[in-house]
Amino acid sequence: QGLEHHQQRQSLYGFWIRGFKELRLQQIADALDELEVEVNSSLAELGLDGWELRFDVDRETKAGNVQRGFSVTVLSPANAKPVPWESWSGGEQQRLRLAGNMGLANLIRTRMGVTFPLEVWDEPTKGLSPEGVRDLLACLERRARVEGRQIWIIDHTAHNFGGFASTATIIKDRNGSRIEQS
């Protein structure tokens, strides 16, 4: 009776362990579905019309094992099949990263039920073409207006963009540093 009792308990424990793994996988899948929606809505605004990112993590194999890993699939209108992230140019990768950051920020705010009056982007134009910079700045201007928040852009390059409420330039020279605001 002792062995049979332990086998039943082990079977019961296995049932609950599998159940919690499935629950965890479902919660992750739900969050990734939300993230895909958020990220993909930003791609067109950043000049990547028809592009799509897909996210996947921890999948159960046919053998019942869990295959671990986070994967990002990049689909573009120019390719019939997904292309690895690393194959895209620096500017395309930067736009994909920016869309990912925007989507993740939106997901976190939604999931946490909080709003932030300020968003700070550190060198978001790095690696972007002039067209990419214009798309990004227009996207951030719309984001600030629609979401009612200030968006600060910290960049080593001065940008002439009419959508800025104001700009502050930090100038360093042999006399020290000063701030010029316009």
Side-chain angles (χ1 to χ4, degrees):
Q1 218 186 59
L3 180 59
E4 185 178 313
H5 174 72
H6 288 295
Q7 287 173 336
Q8 286 176 344
R9 287 187 78 171
Q10 184 178 5
S11 176
L12 183 60
Y13 290 150
F15 169 80
W16 284 106
I17 289 169
R18 283 188 304 280
F20 282 117
K21 282 182 181 179
E22 286 300 316
L23 180 60
R24 179 180 61 95
L25 290 173
Q26 186 58 51
Q27 288 177 329
I28 291 170
D30 290 347
L32 288 177
D33 288 344
E34 287 180 50
L35 182 60
E36 277 183 15
V37 169
E38 293 289 347
V39 169
N40 290 327
S41 68
S42 297
L43 286 172
E45 290 184 65
L46 292 169
L48 297 177
D49 294 319
W51 288 56
E52 184 179 341
L53 288 179
R54 292 189 186 155
F55 303 106
D56 200 9
V57 68
D58 287 357
R59 289 287 175 225
E60 188 171 343
T61 65
K62 290 181 182 180
N65 299 323
V66 174
Q67 181 180 5
R68 301 200 184 281
F70 179 75
S71 66
V72 179
T73 303
V74 182
L75 303 167
S76 82
N79 298 292
K81 293 183 179 185
V83 176
W85 182 281
E86 306 80 34
S87 298
W88 299 106
S89 73
E92 289 164 331
Q93 285 185 22
Q94 178 67 348
R95 289 181 192 219
L96 294 168
R97 271 192 299 277
L98 290 165
N101 289 337
M102 288 177 192
L104 188 56
N106 291 348
L107 177 66
I108 291 170
R109 283 195 309 269
T110 301
R111 287 272 173 132
M112 299 303 294
V114 296
T115 57
F116 299 106
L118 175 67
E119 200 170 278
V120 178
W121 291 86
D122 186 23
E123 296 190 54
T125 63
K126 186 176 182 180
L128 294 180
S129 66
E131 178 186 341
V133 171
R134 282 190 304 275
D135 289 341
L136 170 64
L137 297 178
C139 176
L140 292 175
E141 185 275 330
R142 187 199 69 72
R143 185 175 174 91
R145 184 175 26 81
V146 168
E147 297 178 14
R149 78 171 43 104
Q150 289 184 17
I151 294 183
W152 293 11
I153 300 168
I154 301 166
D155 213 303
H156 290 277
T157 304
H159 300 287
N160 186 12
F161 178 72
F164 292 139
S166 66
T167 60
T169 304
I170 300 172
I171 299 171
K172 290 176 80 172
D173 58 23
R174 66 177 179 255
N175 298 324
S177 299
R178 66 183 184 283
I179 299 174
E180 291 183 1
Q181 194 166 2
S182 59

